[in-house]
Amino acid sequence: MIPKCSHVSRVLKLLKTGIGTLFRNPAGAIAMGIATSAAMVAPAAAQIHRLNGDEMALFRKISINAGQQRKSMKLDPILCLVARQRGADMARRHYFSHTTPDGKGANFLIGQAGYLLPSYYDLSRSGNNIESIGMNPGTPKQMVSLWLNSSAHRDHVLGELDFFRQQTSVGVGVFRSPEAPHFKYYVFLSAPPNRSLTPRRVALKNPKGVTIATTRPLADAFARFAGVAFR
């Protein structure tokens, strides 16, 4: 069942009225199509987030690991955006922790970015059920090896527990410290698929600039359907 909210209810009402008009009066369907299209606000342009080489390598090392228990893993644009921001924030504010100096955890931060977690997750300001971090001068391969040598991190990274196995949407971030360039901050986020009807619009590109994933608000699907049905 789709949760009730004002803009979704409005679109559903328009769709219902328009479909009725289409069957009762085909000639009037054109006018209804114009009215429906005008009632919908054009979506804002998507923010572009481009992965760097280390981030792409980190994802590959995790996803193809022989011990990986998740049946599938999909890079999510919002999670990748927040993962990079987490690494950058730790480097710039000189801390290394699952909570920021002002007490914000990973669950809270992705929520602020438009990623909705299930209600049984820790939704407090400092909550974290989704993040592994590392600070290491080495390669993504070395970072993954260090995580896998820690039982708690291994459970998360490889999805060895059922809770983490359900987290099939992932984000990777690698940020090189500008003040200590030999240090890199690594961040791995994993979560169940985004439940938000109106997520932040982000287009994810690989290091070559090719789009590999985009967020898809449910409202966009309604708009596309309405455009086809009533034009």
Side-chain angles (χ1 to χ4, degrees), residues 32-158:
M32 176 55 66
I34 295 172
T36 303
S37 298
M40 296 179 177
V41 179
Q47 179 179 352
I48 304 297
H49 181 70
R50 186 167 177 168
L51 296 172
N52 59 43
D54 279 340
E55 289 166 341
M56 204 72 224
L58 182 64
F59 173 68
R60 290 195 184 106
K61 292 298 179 184
I62 292 173
S63 62
I64 67 174
N65 187 283
Q68 182 58 248
Q69 299 298 302
R70 296 177 179 89
K71 291 183 179 179
S72 65
M73 293 178 67
K74 180 181 179 181
L75 284 170
D76 181 87
I78 293 177
L79 295 182
C80 285
L81 181 69
V82 174
R84 170 92 59 81
Q85 290 173 343
R86 285 281 294 125
D89 190 59
M90 286 188 283
R92 290 166 181 160
R93 291 207 277 174
H94 308 290
Y95 72 97
F96 182 70
S97 171
H98 287 297
T99 54
T100 67
D102 43 340
K104 296 177 182 178
N107 293 9
F108 183 83
L109 291 170
I110 69 168
Q112 282 191 317
Y115 199 102
L116 184 62
L117 289 169
S119 60
Y120 55 85
Y121 274 62
D122 183 352
L123 302 181
S124 67
R125 185 178 177 86
S126 61
N128 171 40
N129 306 114
I130 64 171
E131 179 185 76
S132 284
I133 58 176
M135 185 172 66
N136 187 280
T139 64
K141 180 180 180 180
Q142 291 171 322
M143 187 67 252
V144 172
S145 179
L146 288 172
W147 277 335
L148 299 189
N149 284 326
S150 161
S151 59
H153 290 94
R154 183 184 180 89
D155 287 344
H156 175 226
V157 172
L158 295 184

Side-chain angles (χ1 to χ4, degrees), residues 147-177:
W147 277 335
L148 299 189
N149 284 326
S150 161
S151 59
H153 290 94
R154 183 184 180 89
D155 287 344
H156 175 226
V157 172
L158 295 184
E160 292 190 335
L161 299 180
D162 185 63
F163 179 83
F164 296 126
R165 203 172 300 130
Q166 305 306 314
Q167 298 176 340
T168 55
S169 295
V170 303
V172 287
V174 181
F175 185 83
R176 187 184 295 272
S177 171

Side-chain angles (χ1 to χ4, degrees), residues 17-31:
T17 304
I19 292 172
T21 302
L22 180 62
F23 286 110
R24 290 194 304 269
N25 181 9
I30 297 175

